Amino acid sequence: MLDKSPRSNAVNVPNDLAAHWMPFTANRAFKKAPRMLAGAKGMHYVTTDGRNIIDAAAGMWCTNAGHGREQISEAIARQAAALDYAPPFQFGIPQAFELASRVADLAPAGLDHVFFCNSGSEAVDTALKIALAYHQIAGQGSRTRLIGRERGYHGVGFGGTSVGGIVNNRRLFGTLLAGVDHLSHTYDREKQAFSKGEPEYGAHFAEELERLANLHGANTIAAVIVEPMAGSTGVIPAPKGYLKRLREITQKHGVLLIFDEVITGFGRLGFAFAAERYGVLPDMITFAKGVTNGAAPMGGVVVRDTIHDAFMKGPEHVIELAHGYTYSAHPLACAAGLATLEIYREEKLFERARALEPKFIDAVMSLRDEPNVLDIRTVGLTAGIDLAPRADQVGKRGFDGLNSAFFDHDLMLRIAGDTLALTPPLIVSEDQIGEIVEKVARVIRAVA
């Protein structure tokens, strides 16, 4: 029996929650039963009533090195004392150049230039704008069409929402950007259910790009953007051979290929970037989340030399790309990023994730016979568990699972409709994997 009594370090919380309109949250339900957090350390959050909650979500896919890393917080504090802000337009700071070099060193060879922003959403919009601008300066101004994928998530900017393919994220916002189309998603439960890692079936889904090229004219397509593993929709790994085939088709037609690695970057799939895992060289990689371990907002785009160099022409005093943000390469975010990458290197967390993957997969797959489990998908230290929806209440079983996990089982997980997503920090131990899976089993039974 779990002890639910408040601990001595309980924290007072506001008694008026009305003013804060929370993002991607069922606000009315939350404010009736708030899931409030007050602290975090290692693999655990601490609730405002003093309970330790094991984090099976790495916050929001962010805290790959775990919580409360003093190396990061101390770096942020030192930087804040030395230089709290510097304008990123026309001025620079050493830390931005150092971090760009470190990120480029982790990326596949040929991706050697980094453009910083503040989030995954901004990273995607930045990559899409770079793609459109590149074709303009290359004399191919007809290439204005952008291709996303059904069930894809690319943030909440107008560009990212437009190429994104999660219906509920799009339905309230009108027509969004013109000239956008979508590939079919790659999930077929009948042929892929309970796959460990990348499913054997599904490489042929990439051929949909040939159909779109024929439909619109290949010379009208600027870029294709996909997640190597579609995370926010409920963890859908790319089928074996799928990404390589996309690369072949895009190269054939002169189309840029963008990997959205906001989730998969920095060790989630056992490598610095998923592009390395799959042996595919895209033209751009977007990143965010894990670059600072979630300790400060930061995102960016890693760009191929050929794209970057195409802009470096004309008079040297003229701005090459009219794009950027007030907080691009913010000093505090750069300090957090440098400290985070040092932790990843010192503790070999990418390699650790790769070694843990088979054990994690086997542990999660042990849930396949629990009630209402329709499918389990795994890749890297990530898993999606599909639960059967309740009649006329799609998403309610998953929502009840979120609450049961937090209030009754001291567990934080993520949900996507009726899918439970497990994405623990890369520091998770084998014993903690067992604890997480045991608690998830109890949650599944509780909402049966």
Side-chain angles (χ1 to χ4, degrees), residues 108-274:
L111 292 162
D112 292 332
H113 300 278
V114 179
F115 193 105
F116 286 116
C117 54
N118 310 287
S119 68
S121 294
E122 290 182 1
V124 167
D125 278 16
T126 297
L128 297 178
K129 288 179 73 175
I130 289 173
L132 293 170
Y134 169 74
H135 288 301
Q136 286 285 341
I137 64 176
Q140 298 190 59
S142 65
R143 291 188 180 272
T144 60
R145 187 171 297 279
L146 303 169
I147 306 293
R149 188 171 60 190
E150 294 172 355
R151 298 191 67 172
Y153 180 76
H154 302 292
V156 296
F158 267 93
T161 304
S162 298
V163 295
I166 298 177
V167 174
N168 285 342
N169 293 356
R170 298 166 51 89
R171 67 169 75 250
L172 293 180
F173 306 114
T175 58
L176 298 169
L177 295 185
V180 174
D181 210 333
H182 293 78
L183 300 166
S184 300
H185 64 77
T186 65
Y187 181 56
D188 185 331
R189 181 179 293 160
E190 183 178 331
K191 296 182 174 64
Q192 297 172 338
F194 300 102
S195 294
K196 293 183 176 182
E198 297 81 356
E200 298 285 345
Y201 174 87
H204 68 281
F205 287 115
E207 301 301 329
E208 176 78 2
L209 183 55
E210 287 282 17
R211 188 187 70 81
L212 294 182
N214 290 331
L215 173 66
H216 299 296
N219 65 346
T220 70
I221 301 175
V224 174
I225 182 168
V226 295
E227 301 160 275
M229 181 272 294
S232 295
T233 191
V235 182
I236 300 179
K240 291 181 179 178
Y242 172 84
L243 296 172
K244 286 187 175 181
R245 183 60 184 139
L246 271 188
R247 176 73 283 190
E248 291 169 357
I249 298 171
T250 52
Q251 286 181 322
K252 170 185 172 183
H253 293 298
V255 174
L256 299 184
L257 178 62
I258 304 167
F259 277 3
D260 184 343
E261 297 221 36
V262 169
I263 284 175
T264 57
F266 304 103
R268 179 56 51 190
L269 301 191
F271 295 84
F273 292 101

Side-chain angles (χ1 to χ4, degrees), residues 340-399:
T340 297
L341 296 191
E342 192 63 18
I343 290 172
Y344 292 154
R345 185 189 66 80
E346 290 175 349
E347 300 182 9
K348 299 185 184 302
L349 290 187
F350 304 163
E351 297 88 343
R352 188 174 191 279
R354 195 153 68 244
L356 275 176
E357 179 175 357
K359 301 177 178 67
F360 177 77
I361 287 176
D362 287 343
V364 176
M365 282 295 178
S366 71
L367 298 168
R368 64 184 298 165
D369 294 325
E370 295 295 335
N372 298 305
V373 172
L374 300 178
D375 187 20
I376 299 175
R377 296 174 297 279
T378 61
V379 64
L381 290 189
T382 304
I385 305 164
D386 288 349
L387 302 181
R390 292 181 176 142
D392 301 322
Q393 286 188 307
V394 173
K396 185 63 164 60
R397 195 186 302 277
F399 181 76

